[in-house]
Amino acid sequence: MLQITGLAASIDGKDILRGIDLTLPQGEVHAIMGPNGSGKSTLSYVLAGRDGYAVTSGSARLDGADLLAMTPDERAAAGLFLAFQYPVELPGVGNANFLRTALNAQRRARGESELDAVQFLKLARAATKQLSMPDDMLKRNVNVGFSGGEKKRNEVLQMALLRPRLAILDETDSGLDIDALKIVAEGVNALRGPNFSALVITHYQRLLDYIVPDRVHVLVGGRIVRSGGPELAHALEADGYAAIAAEAA
Amino acid sequence: MQAVAETTDPVQALTQSGYKWGFATEIETELAPKGLNPDIIRLISARKGEPGWLLEWRLKAYAAWLTMTEPHWAMLAYPPIDYQDLHYYAAPKRKPGPQSLDQVDPELLRTYEKLGIPLRERAILAGVEPAEGSRQVAVDAVFDSVSVATTFRETLAKSGVIFCPISEAVREHPELVQRYLGSVVPTGDNYFAALNSAVFTDGSFVFVPKGVRCPMELSTYFRINARNTGQFERTLIIAEDGAQVSYLEGCTAPQRDENQLHAAVVELVALNEAQIKYSTVQNWYPGDAEGRGGIYNFVTKRGACRGARSRISWTQVETGSAITWKYPSCILQGEDSVGEFYSVALTNHHQQADTGTKMIHIGPRTRSTIVSKGISAGQSNNTYRGLVRIQPKASGARSHTQCDSLLIGEECGAHTVPYIESRNASAKVEHEATTSKIDEDQLFYCRQRGLSQEDAVGLIVNGFCKDVLKELPMEFAVEAQKLLAVSLEGSVG
């Protein structure tokens, strides 16, 4: 379970998050919606531990452990996964190799046995098949020469293999056509269950037709101004963020 | 694809200890008095039981050396070297030139075992069957000034391949040595080559006769052990018409506070349609984090593609030495001959590397490929210096250079100094260069997936070097990847 309390953060002295309170119970999927510049991506980076963000107050706990005190790789081993809005290219690094190195690093950190190449490939092939991805995606260099849609699918493939307890999807729907969107949504839905929770960050309601959230939170100006059920996403789509923000103020 | 994944474990074990090859071996050593003069050269020659012509050759080189001055055009800064304050001969006390591994000092064998050198013949002698499909590698091991063990010689001899210490080749195959020694790197070629020619002590000799494809990888392992000693090895590889050979050298030295001099010469000769692949994993002691100690590595490596359609390929992974001055080159004389240079040079802390290649296109339709990957970290300086020269008769020659530099941190330097001279209008010469910094986005991406900072750097750097590493024989590629990661320890964050 993720528990965020009074979280405030700034970058280069500029306040971006101004006191976020959010509880994401185990097994639930919550959506965070908000206009550009509201702090959505900052929230995901602060939770994942990216350098350059100063947490000025508040806390974030994953299953009771203090996330903010951990290095990014410790957070990953604790079960936090961030699907990047702009997945990064790693020239010369094979996708399968990268994934296996990452998976084994996490397993090692958790005191689990590492997977050998054969065990890993079996898992990886099953995952690519489920996501309707060609096998050669594993052989290519990480995100190098991938289309926008392929990059996002590659993020979902990584998520499927790393099996996080908490996934944060940072605008994973941006730049996806409807078919890719469905594949990504299926990937997330396949992981849903009592041991998986997700924070789906999105600008548009469209993705939430395929990943139906338990709760929707509206983030404006670094604060959550409104929370509700899935119907809130539809209201946002109809009335726009301005109306919600004005109403909340 | 297994390689990097396998890498992280041993790397973690290694990073605890820094330079793990830094131990010294307690062994009785016979040392020549310090200093360089004709008497020392006569002593070396006598110790090696050399014929008169070679002594004359050495003395001629010495006379040439006396008239030369140390070159300082490279982007390297180091205090003056006192050539009279070095020992020019150091040998483990025991009769050199053992006939079999049984006669090798067990202390030496333990040293090479610690270094992980596959003196696998040991296992075979002990009756251990090699694993199914495992590739055999013949090893020559050079400890200070003498060769202590060469493995698989009999197997090689069956196919006509000669692989032995060069001192032995001088005695057993004088006609070959006399014909080729100094034919690629003449005694007066440059300051360090002249010095080497005067005082070279040991090194490997390889002769692959006409039409023979060498049945296994050949490898030499160089180790400087004794204090205040220079290592001056000389390697000569000859591939006759249609012959093929792949050769690898590895090098380490104990961790010592003073600097040690290493000035080697390597000569390769490829006749018609011959192919020589020469790979180096150079891991001489680089000095400590403050820049104390380390090897001064001044090496002349050159290959002559004498025959038509011959090919010489240099692959080097340079992670060691305080100072590296090294330009493995190809003289492309035979028509349609091919020269290749694949290089990774990594510098950290206060290391300085000035390295690159020379491709001299003489024959028509000769081709060369240069791929250089420089990685600088800490306060180090890394220079690529490369010459591509097209002679008037090299019609239709082609050369392509790809030169990439990667910077880690704010205090290091990367420099690219290409020289291109084309005297034939039909030749095509291309040069591409890039410089980049290790990217924060890449690091964070890797760490978010669970990799530690150092594993993330190792992975990104190995990816950067992939075009070169894939040229190495498989087992050495794995070793090189580990070495890159270890050498970058503490360079980020």
Side-chain angles (χ1 to χ4, degrees), chain B residues 194-243:
Chain B
L195 177 65
N196 173 284
S197 301
V199 302
F200 80 86
T201 40
D202 225 325
S204 297
F205 176 80
V206 177
F207 176 80
V208 187
K210 196 170 171 175
V212 171
R213 204 172 159 158
C214 186
M216 62 181 78
E217 301 271 350
L218 303 183
S219 175
T220 297
Y221 205 85
F222 294 105
R223 173 84 178 160
I224 298 179
N225 189 61
R227 213 173 263 280
N228 295 320
T229 302
Q231 181 152 335
F232 306 94
E233 82 266 3
R234 184 111 194 170
T235 294
L236 177 57
I237 299 177
I238 301 139
E240 285 196 327
D241 292 355

Side-chain angles (χ1 to χ4, degrees), chain B residues 31-325:
Chain B
L31 275 178
K34 275 187 180 176
L36 180 55
N37 54 55
D39 286 341
I40 290 289
I41 293 169
R42 285 191 189 96
L43 179 142
I44 293 169
S45 193
R47 277 286 179 283
K48 300 275 174 195
E50 287 175 356
W53 66 264
L54 190 51
L55 175 61
E56 287 311 309
W57 192 84
R58 288 175 179 277
L59 290 170
K60 214 177 98 196
Y62 175 70
W65 182 72
L66 286 177
T67 67
M68 302 166 95
T69 49
E70 202 183 289
H72 286 285
W73 41 259
M75 207 173 284
L76 301 169
Y78 55 94
I81 299 169
D82 182 353
Y83 291 92
Q84 297 303 334
D85 193 37
L86 289 174
H87 297 287
Y88 286 85
Y89 183 78
K93 247 188 206 165
R94 268 204 155 212
K95 203 169 149 275
Q99 296 310 299
S100 77
L101 283 175
D102 303 345
Q103 293 174 24
V104 175
D105 189 319
E107 191 61 33
L108 273 181
L109 287 183
R110 270 194 292 278
T111 297
Y112 285 107
E113 199 178 324
K114 266 198 210 165
L115 293 168
I117 312 310
L119 290 177
R120 286 178 214 171
E121 209 167 61
R122 209 171 27 207
I124 288 162
L125 285 172
V128 181
E129 289 292 323
E132 191 73 32
S134 75
R135 200 149 38 138
Q136 293 187 333
V137 180
V139 178
D140 184 20
V142 176
F143 196 83
D144 290 332
S145 303
V146 293
S147 176
V148 293
T150 309
T151 63
F152 286 114
R153 293 169 63 167
E154 281 174 26
T155 317
L156 288 168
K158 272 183 210 149
S159 53
V161 175
I162 301 169
F163 178 41
C164 68
I166 198 160
S167 51
E168 184 183 315
V170 167
R171 295 190 300 266
E172 306 288 327
H173 310 282
E175 71 297 341
L176 286 174
V177 176
Q178 202 166 0
R179 191 186 321 160
Y180 290 107
L181 186 73
S183 73
V184 187
V185 180
T187 49
D189 185 81
N190 68 68
Y191 187 81
F192 296 107
L195 177 65
N196 173 284
S197 301
V199 302
F200 80 86
T201 40
D202 225 325
S204 297
F205 176 80
V206 177
F207 176 80
V208 187
K210 196 170 171 175
V212 171
R213 204 172 159 158
C214 186
M216 62 181 78
E217 301 271 350
L218 303 183
S219 175
T220 297
Y221 205 85
F222 294 105
R223 173 84 178 160
I224 298 179
N225 189 61
R227 213 173 263 280
N228 295 320
T229 302
Q231 181 152 335
F232 306 94
E233 82 266 3
R234 184 111 194 170
T235 294
L236 177 57
I237 299 177
I238 301 139
E240 285 196 327
D241 292 355
Q244 287 184 27
V245 62
S246 169
Y247 179 92
L248 183 121
E249 60 168 16
C251 352
T252 62
Q255 201 159 334
R256 299 196 190 280
D257 284 343
E258 71 267 29
N259 298 106
Q260 288 175 285
L261 179 63
H262 173 251
V265 172
V266 175
E267 296 178 280
L268 312 181
V269 179
L271 302 183
N272 285 329
E273 289 170 33
Q275 293 187 21
I276 301 176
K277 184 175 171 64
Y278 193 105
S279 313
T280 304
V281 176
Q282 186 264 111
N283 185 28
W284 296 117
Y285 178 54
D288 66 14
E290 275 73 51
R292 271 190 305 265
I295 300 288
Y296 288 171
N297 194 30
F298 295 95
V299 172
T300 304
K301 291 186 168 175
R302 197 175 300 155
C305 282
R306 293 220 173 122
R309 293 170 297 285
S310 56
R311 175 189 290 258
I312 288 179
S313 178
W314 298 100
T315 305
Q316 61 172 19
V317 175
E318 305 276 311
T319 60
S321 297
I323 301 274
T324 299
W325 180 98

